[in-house]
Amino acid sequence: MQIMIFIVITLFFTSVYFSARFFLLSKSIRDARNNLQEVCEDTERNRRLTLPCPNKDLENLLKEMNNYLEKTQMEKIKSTRREKELRKEIENISHDLRTPLTSILGYLELMKDGDITKKEKYEYISIIEKKSRALRNLIQSFYDLSRLEVYEYKMDIKNIDIHKELMEQLLIFYNDFDQKGIGVELDIGDEVINIQGNLDSIERIFTNLIQNAIKYAKDTFKVRIEKSKDTVNIIFSNNVENLEETDIENLFNRFYMKEQSRNSQSSGLGLTITKLLVEAMGGRINAEMENNFIYFKITFKLSKNE
C-alpha cells in the first residue's frame, strides 16, 4: 500500500513539474513571438529578442535570430545611408549640369536680340563655346568615373618617364601660377624615372593635382620627387586657408567640395578620378595636412630596369 502511495505521489509531482515547464516554455515562446513581431515592425531600433525563462535549445534559437536581426539592421542602415548619399549625388550632378547649361541658354536668348552688335555677338559665342566645353568635360568625367568604379577603364600600359611628363605638365600651367601670384618650388632632380603606366592617365593625374593647387593654394606650390630602390614618390603640396581635418578625410569622396566651391566650374570629381587612376595603375595616393599645408603623395613602383 505504501509503495502505491509513493508511486502516486511521485507521478503527481512529476506531472506538476512537467506541466509547469511546459507552461513556462509555452509562455516563453509566446513572449518571444510577440517580441519578434515588435522588432520586425521597427527594425531600425536596436532591439534584441529575450528569453524570460532559461531553455538551452530556445536560447540557441533566439541567439541565431538575434544575429540575423543584427545583420538586417546593419544592412538597412547601410541602405538608408547609401540612399541619402545617392540623392545628394543626384542633386550635385543636376546642379553641375544645370549651371553651364543655364548660361548657354541665357546667352542664346541674348543672341536673338536684333540690336546686339557684332562684337557682343562674338563675345556671346565665345562664352557659349567655353560653357559647352565645360559641360562636355563634366559629362566625360561622369562617364570616366562610372567606368573606373567597375574596372572597365581601358589602359594601354607602357614604360613612362614620369619626370619628363611631370615637367611638361608644370610648364603648361606656368602662366596660371604666375597670374595668381603663386610661387612654385621644385625639388624633382633631372634624372629619368621610369614606371609602368598609362600616358593619358599620368597626364590627367598631374593635371588634376596642379589645377587643384591653382584653385586653392594661398601663395605657395611645391613638388618633390623621392626615389627609393623600388618605388618613387611624387609629392604635391600647397598652403591653404580654411581647410580642416574633416575636409582631408573626404577629399577623395565623389562630388565632395566645400560649400563655397559648389558654384565654381569644378564638379568635385577631380580628386576621386585621380585616386582611381592611380590605383588602376597599381599605385597609391594619400592626403594629409601639416602646418597649413596640404600634401598629396603618389607612390608608384619603378620599372624593373630602373
Side-chain angles (χ1 to χ4, degrees):
M1 184 65 178
Q2 290 180 346
I3 296 176
M4 289 294 296
I5 292 173
F6 176 76
I7 294 173
V8 170
I9 292 172
T10 301
L11 289 174
F12 173 75
F13 281 108
T14 302
S15 176
V16 170
Y17 171 76
F18 282 107
S19 295
R21 280 187 58 85
F22 178 76
F23 173 79
L24 292 175
L25 183 59
S26 298
K27 184 177 184 302
S28 296
I29 293 174
R30 287 196 303 271
D31 291 343
R33 182 194 62 194
N34 294 332
N35 196 8
L36 179 60
Q37 288 177 340
E38 293 175 3
V39 172
C40 289
E41 288 174 359
D42 187 8
T43 56
E44 293 185 1
R45 292 181 60 187
N46 189 22
R47 296 182 56 186
R48 294 294 177 267
L49 302 178
T50 58
L51 186 65
C53 300
N55 181 278
K56 184 176 181 180
D57 292 332
L58 195 54
E59 284 176 357
N60 291 334
L61 174 62
L62 293 188
K63 181 180 179 181
E64 292 300 319
M65 293 176 70
N66 281 330
N67 289 338
Y68 174 77
L69 286 171
E70 184 176 359
K71 291 179 181 178
T72 302
Q73 289 168 344
M74 290 302 297
E75 288 299 322
K76 186 163 186 177
I77 291 171
K78 290 179 181 178
S79 177
T80 301
R81 185 181 297 129
R82 179 56 188 150
E83 185 177 342
K84 290 179 180 178
E85 291 174 354
L86 182 59
R87 284 200 300 267
K88 183 64 176 177
E89 289 177 2
I90 291 173
E91 290 176 7
N92 291 337
I93 291 173
S94 299
H95 177 277
D96 293 337
L97 291 175
R98 186 170 61 248
T99 300
L101 186 58
T102 300
S103 295
I104 291 170
L105 293 174
Y107 281 103
L108 285 174
E109 193 66 28
L110 288 174
M111 289 181 64
K112 293 179 181 180
D113 186 351
D115 295 330
I116 63 172
T117 65
K118 287 185 177 180
K119 181 180 179 181
E120 289 174 328
K121 190 172 183 178
Y122 178 78
E123 290 177 354
Y124 295 163
I125 291 174
S126 297
I127 294 172
I128 290 171
E129 287 178 345
K130 181 180 178 181
K131 297 295 182 181
S132 297
R133 284 194 294 270
L135 186 58
R136 180 195 61 193
N137 293 337
L138 191 58
I139 293 171
Q140 183 65 44
S141 294
F142 293 148
Y143 178 60
D144 290 342
L145 178 64
S146 66
R147 289 191 299 158
L148 281 164
E149 289 189 325
V150 295
Y151 308 104
E152 293 181 355
Y153 193 87
K154 304 300 181 183
M155 287 187 176
D156 179 22
I157 303 297
K158 61 181 182 180
N159 215 41
I160 295 173
D161 179 2
I162 206 165
H163 179 274
K164 173 177 174 291
E165 299 306 325
L166 178 59
M167 282 299 301
E168 289 182 359
Q169 293 304 312
L170 288 169
L171 286 172
I172 288 172
F173 291 98
Y174 176 82
N175 288 334
D176 297 89
F177 285 111
D178 189 51
Q179 290 173 6
K180 292 200 66 174
I182 300 173
V184 178
E185 300 178 18
L186 303 180
D187 182 13
I188 60 177
D190 55 7
E191 67 174 308
V192 173
I193 302 175
N194 289 323
I195 68 165
Q196 289 293 307
N198 175 263
L199 182 58
D200 291 337
S201 297
I202 291 294
E203 290 178 353
R204 191 167 184 181
I205 289 166
F206 289 162
T207 297
N208 285 348
L209 290 173
I210 292 170
Q211 288 180 331
N212 186 76
I214 292 170
K215 188 179 300 180
Y216 297 110
K218 182 181 177 182
D219 55 31
T220 304
F221 173 63
K222 302 177 182 180
V223 184
R224 185 170 79 253
I225 290 180
E226 297 176 344
K227 184 182 175 184
S228 64
K229 180 180 178 182
D230 300 313
T231 62
V232 58
N233 296 326
I234 308 101
I235 303 167
F236 297 79
S237 62
N238 59 270
N239 54 355
V240 291
E241 293 181 314
N242 303 320
L243 197 67
E244 302 173 359
E245 287 296 333
T246 52
D247 297 315
I248 300 296
E249 295 170 2
N250 292 294
L251 281 176
F252 296 112
N253 292 347
R254 289 182 298 180
F255 303 104
Y256 179 78
M257 288 190 291
K258 293 181 75 68
E259 287 304 314
Q260 58 264 38
S261 301
R262 190 78 248 171
N263 293 323
S264 70
Q265 291 296 322
S266 176
S267 66
L269 294 176
L271 291 178
T272 305
I273 291 175
T274 296
K275 184 175 187 293
L276 292 171
L277 288 173
V278 169
E279 292 175 348
M281 290 184 290
R284 61 182 184 273
I285 181 172
N286 61 63
E288 59 183 38
M289 189 169 66
E290 183 179 350
N291 298 327
N292 295 322
F293 265 78
I294 184 170
Y295 295 83
F296 292 96
K297 183 170 78 171
I298 306 172
T299 303
F300 287 116
K301 290 182 179 180
L302 294 170
S303 295
K304 292 183 178 180
N305 58 354
E306 276 289 310

